[in-house]
Amino acid sequence: MSRIHVWLAMIVVIAGIGLTGPTASAATPYCGIHWGSLDKVNPTMVASPFTAVRAGRHECFDRIVVDLAGPAAGYRVGYVPAVHEDGSGFEVPLRGGAYLQVVVLAPAYYVPANRHEVVDVSGYRTLRQVAWANSFEGQTTLGVGVRARLPFRVFTLDGPGSGSRVVLDVAHQW
């Protein structure tokens, strides 16, 4: 009779490990990221012109930075089925499994040399493409192709000098 009790106890312990093991690790977010994938909005509109777009790679996310020649602008950023050009409504072709529409509430007085590849993101872990979707009526739109619908955050930074930046970070995973 005691052998049966030992076997039952071992089965209960093994089953308990299987039930509690993954739950504890699933509660730990990737790199401490709690951003989510819902739209991010800041309604501040400025006249500071949009001057450049840059990209960078980090351990836990890929980053896009929009430089402005003055105070920080607001933004509207969210996943969409397709990105459309401001004014014309034409669809902007993008690579990737998901698309972020990035609207910076500031005008741009130029068009990049290559509207389809505003920033070179080849070799990036999450970003697949950054495309120009126009500047119209005081706002500038970019289409960002990403590997999949992943968590992202958007925020503004002052500087350098009298300029500012709108920053978009897209996590490498959930």
Side-chain angles (χ1 to χ4, degrees):
M1 197 64 148
S2 66
R3 268 187 168 174
I4 293 173
H5 288 120
V6 170
W7 281 103
L8 286 173
M10 286 175 45
I11 291 170
V12 168
V13 168
I14 291 170
I17 290 171
L19 291 175
T20 59
T23 305
S25 65
T28 305
Y30 171 73
C31 290
I33 291 173
H34 293 280
W35 304 335
S37 64
L38 297 178
D39 293 0
K40 311 313 191 257
V41 176
N42 172 345
T44 306
M45 193 119 185
V46 298
S48 307
F50 184 112
T51 59
V53 182
R54 302 177 277 130
R57 291 185 264 198
H58 295 265
E59 183 178 341
C60 299
F61 56 86
D62 288 344
R63 172 171 283 178
I64 294 174
V65 178
V66 174
D67 293 318
L68 301 163
Y75 50 80
R76 289 188 312 273
V77 181
Y79 283 102
V80 295
V83 174
H84 293 91
E85 286 185 6
D86 288 335
S88 72
F90 294 129
E91 187 172 329
V92 176
L94 291 169
R95 293 184 302 277
Y99 312 121
L100 281 167
Q101 180 168 299
V102 178
V103 179
V104 178
L105 303 179
Y109 300 115
Y110 74 96
V111 174
N114 185 346
R115 297 171 61 99
H116 302 288
E117 303 290 337
V118 176
V119 178
D120 181 11
V121 293
S122 56
Y124 280 54
R125 201 164 151 195
T126 298
L127 299 178
R128 295 295 180 254
Q129 183 180 4
V130 180
W132 189 258
N134 220 350
S135 187
F136 185 72
E137 294 185 350
Q139 66 182 28
T140 303
T141 304
L142 299 170
V144 178
V146 296
R147 180 174 46 80
R149 185 179 177 123
L150 294 162
F152 69 95
R153 69 178 173 180
V154 185
F155 57 96
T156 60
L157 293 171
D158 290 332
S162 62
S164 63
R165 296 160 282 165
V166 175
V167 179
L168 165 65
D169 292 335
V170 184
H172 293 314
Q173 66 186 53
W174 278 96

